Amino acid sequence: MPAEDFLRVVDGITPHVDPHKVFIIFTGGEALLRPDLERVGLNLYRRGYPWGVVTNGFLLNQQRLENLLASGMHSITVSLDGFEEQHNWIRRCPQSFEKATQAIRLLAQTKDVLWDVVTCVNPRNYATLREFKEYLVSLGVPAWRLFSIFPMGRAAGNPDLQFTDEQFRGLLDFIKECREENANALTQTRTKAFINVSYACEGFLGPYEQQVRDQFFYCRSGIDVASIRCDGVIGGCTSVRSHMDQGNIYKDDFWDVWQNRFQVMRDRSWAKKGQCKDCKVWRYCEGSGLHLYDDNGKLLTCHYNRLKDGM
């Protein structure tokens, strides 16, 4: 997508919003592959929009980081999926861990940006989470978000990528313990480096709600999150399947789409079927995250049901 087409959309919504309260995130794929990212970012900064990047760190060197910061970058997230063998296995690239770690070391020396690390937890890195947390602390990582893989794409039928229910509960217990340790450290003389650990936004977690992340679950797609993909498609969260797309900037006005479409995301009554039909926690969950539905509107996995047997 030409940068001018994206900036035209931004200019179209600017009269309707407070730019300082609209956060723009560049993700992918790999956002740093765009050589004009700094130019786009600077244009956003001049318009009053904070912006950030999600990256695998491969192209983030000292000069690129300085250029991004000079263009007004507000935040950056680096993906690191375990130690070297684990990370390179899931990323399918022998240099990936080295590059991501170099990027993290650069960020740890930088004061003028908010940043964190996100980890895709799977059976291969599950057993080393505690050790990996200490490694991230040693690198100076201030915040760590973890998520489990939902059964889509190459993860759909791959047992190496899918948790058992026991492992899923173990992941949440680990995060809960880390957060309790941090809370205790805040009330005492801090003897260890602090790292804010949290589970990603996806899925209603029953008794783990507000114990493994700061906010109570709700699916933000189409509520306060929208996306524009590289072909101009307008959707909600970028993880949501294409059957919920709402338009295209090359034929629709983005603000009109935002105001008058997205009914499938804002009225979730259609999801009250199957395992959700008579669920006692429906009012809290409303069918879980929209990214967990296949192209036919079927819920692929329910976090609450995975945890329910142990309640």
Side-chain angles (χ1 to χ4, degrees), residues 138-304:
S138 74
L139 292 178
V141 175
W144 183 30
R145 285 181 293 135
L146 301 94
F147 67 96
S148 48
I149 304 175
F150 55 96
M152 197 72 74
R154 68 182 173 109
N158 189 340
D160 287 336
L161 295 174
Q162 290 297 309
F163 270 162
T164 64
D165 291 351
E166 181 180 6
Q167 289 171 326
F168 181 54
R169 179 179 290 278
L171 168 62
L172 298 180
D173 284 334
F174 167 73
I175 296 172
K176 180 182 175 182
E177 291 168 7
C178 290
R179 291 171 66 86
E180 289 172 349
E181 290 169 2
N182 286 345
N184 291 335
L186 289 174
T187 61
Q188 302 169 9
T189 302
R190 188 175 298 173
T191 57
K192 296 199 308 183
F194 180 90
I195 182 170
N196 184 20
V197 183
S198 63
Y199 186 65
C201 61
E202 64 172 65
F204 176 69
L205 302 175
Y208 287 94
E209 285 297 326
Q210 294 186 288
Q211 296 192 65
V212 295
R213 54 191 172 208
D214 295 336
Q215 72 285 351
F216 196 87
F217 168 76
Y218 75 99
C219 182
R220 301 172 63 182
S221 183
I223 307 298
D224 57 19
V225 172
S227 64
I228 301 170
R229 297 204 292 273
C230 59
D231 56 358
V233 167
I234 302 169
C237 168
T238 53
S239 295
V240 175
R241 312 303 288 175
S242 61
H243 72 286
M244 293 188 182
D245 293 342
Q246 300 301 312
N248 192 298
I249 66 167
Y250 291 112
K251 63 178 182 178
D252 302 301
D253 176 74
F254 179 90
W255 186 250
D256 179 66
V257 171
W258 177 251
Q259 290 293 98
N260 299 303
R261 302 189 192 176
F262 289 93
Q263 291 91 340
V264 69
M265 303 183 190
R266 295 170 184 171
D267 178 359
R268 300 288 294 273
S269 58
W270 61 268
K272 197 170 174 58
K273 60 185 179 181
Q275 60 185 300
C276 297
K277 184 176 181 180
D278 299 312
C279 182
K280 66 180 183 180
V281 300
W282 165 264
R283 62 176 174 158
Y284 306 115
C285 177
E286 292 196 331
S288 196
L290 289 173
H291 68 291
L292 299 175
Y293 287 80
D294 67 13
D295 291 338
N296 298 313
K298 179 183 177 183
L299 183 62
L300 295 171
T301 185
C302 171
H303 290 27
Y304 175 75

